[in-house]
Amino acid sequence: GAVVSQHPSWVICKSGTSVKIECRSLDFQATTMFWYRQFPKQSLMLMATSNEGSKATYEQGVEKDKFLINHASLTLSTLTVTSAHPEDSSFYICSASSADTRTITYNEQFFGPGTRLTVL
Amino acid sequence: TQLLEQSPQFLSIQEGENLTVYCNSSSVFSSLQWYRQEPGEGPVLLVTVVTGGEVKKLKRLTFQFGDARKDSSLHITAAQPGDTGLYLCAGAPQGGSEKLVFGKGTKLTVNP
């Protein structure tokens, strides 16, 4: 149980274009989803937290107009990188957690496989 | 700001050796998770510890949560090349925050 998928697994785009990344919880309802960015050989950097049906909460220094997050349902969140530039190239990972403690310990996060974004 | 100091940052050992990874903080956590991440993939949850002094075993991996819930350790016995990866500890702050505080990770390489 507690499987999270992410699509696409990798994407290459031209500078100035927008890229959408999907994160889905496959076998549980995710009340909260998180978006992280990871640089090579480093730990995870939290970008934003999103709850279903409400606006995402962005971490300090993360541009909300550049990284648009939508959490339309309890199983789907999307991250759109708008007007992407080479410095946005990175490994983006989502995670999901649930308030249903019958199946998931509170605060446990389950991660997707990540999306490698390369902006040319 | 709560921090989790994870050590060592890098560890390269021979197959069959034992190792311990530490995560320490001055803050109390309501729970602590350990993840393993392989290159190009997302972190995979190994264990969650919740109770102070708790010890959990997962085959050759032993996880311990400090009595005061401020620190944790991961001990691997007889390491194998398949244990190679980035190990991350992540603490859930007291007070109900949904966000996890991550350590910087330990890059483990087990050589055959």
Side-chain angles (χ1 to χ4, degrees):
Chain A
V3 179
V4 177
S5 70
Q6 208 170 320
H7 178 80
S9 56
W10 59 269
V11 57
I12 301 173
C13 68
K14 292 183 178 180
S15 186
T17 60
S18 294
V19 174
K20 180 185 284 188
I21 303 170
E22 291 187 350
C23 178
R24 293 181 185 271
S25 58
L26 299 184
D27 52 2
F28 67 102
Q29 293 189 325
T31 47
T32 307
M33 286 186 168
F34 305 84
W35 287 96
Y36 294 85
R37 185 172 178 177
Q38 188 175 34
F39 294 100
K41 299 182 180 179
Q42 293 189 22
S43 188
L44 305 175
M45 183 188 78
L46 180 65
M47 298 174 66
T49 302
S50 75
N51 292 288
E52 184 261 341
S54 61
K55 290 184 179 181
T57 302
Y58 291 82
E59 294 299 299
Q60 193 172 9
V62 177
E63 299 176 59
K64 62 180 181 180
D65 294 330
K66 180 166 188 61
F67 298 99
L68 301 178
I69 293 172
N70 183 275
H71 193 160
S73 75
L74 285 173
T75 60
L76 173 65
S77 177
T78 61
L79 166 68
T80 301
V81 183
T82 62
S83 187
H85 288 94
E87 57 265 30
D88 299 323
S89 298
S90 192
F91 192 52
Y92 292 88
I93 313 175
C94 71
S95 71
S97 67
S98 174
D100 183 358
T101 55
R102 292 172 297 176
T103 55
I104 296 175
T105 301
Y106 184 66
N107 286 132
E108 278 183 341
Q109 292 184 23
F110 294 89
F111 286 84
T115 297
R116 170 70 58 191
L117 170 63
T118 302
V119 185
L120 302 177
Chain B
T1 303
Q2 292 179 288
L3 296 173
L4 262 176
E5 300 287 341
Q6 189 171 344
S7 63
Q9 190 175 354
F10 299 97
L11 193 54
S12 181
I13 62 172
Q14 293 299 121
E15 182 176 0
E17 294 182 0
N18 302 331
L19 66 113
T20 303
V21 178
Y22 300 93
C23 272
N24 297 294
S25 177
S26 58
S27 304
V28 177
F29 293 99
S30 59
S31 67
L32 194 138
Q33 285 110 54
W34 285 91
Y35 296 86
R36 183 172 75 201
Q37 184 181 23
E38 299 193 24
E41 299 181 11
V44 174
L45 179 65
L46 297 175
V47 78
T48 299
V49 286
V50 179
T51 307
E54 184 176 6
V55 176
K56 282 190 173 179
K57 292 192 174 184
L58 185 65
K59 297 184 179 178
R60 293 175 293 100
L61 279 60
T62 302
F63 305 86
Q64 186 164 6
F65 202 14
D67 291 340
R69 291 186 288 139
K70 293 182 179 181
D71 54 85
S72 182
S73 64
L74 157 61
H75 182 79
I76 301 179
T77 304
Q80 299 178 359
D83 296 327
T84 294
L86 178 68
Y87 289 82
L88 295 162
C89 62
Q94 280 193 317
S97 172
E98 299 171 301
K99 297 190 290 188
L100 294 177
V101 175
F102 279 86
K104 291 190 174 182
T106 296
K107 179 69 176 72
L108 171 65
T109 302
V110 182
N111 302 298

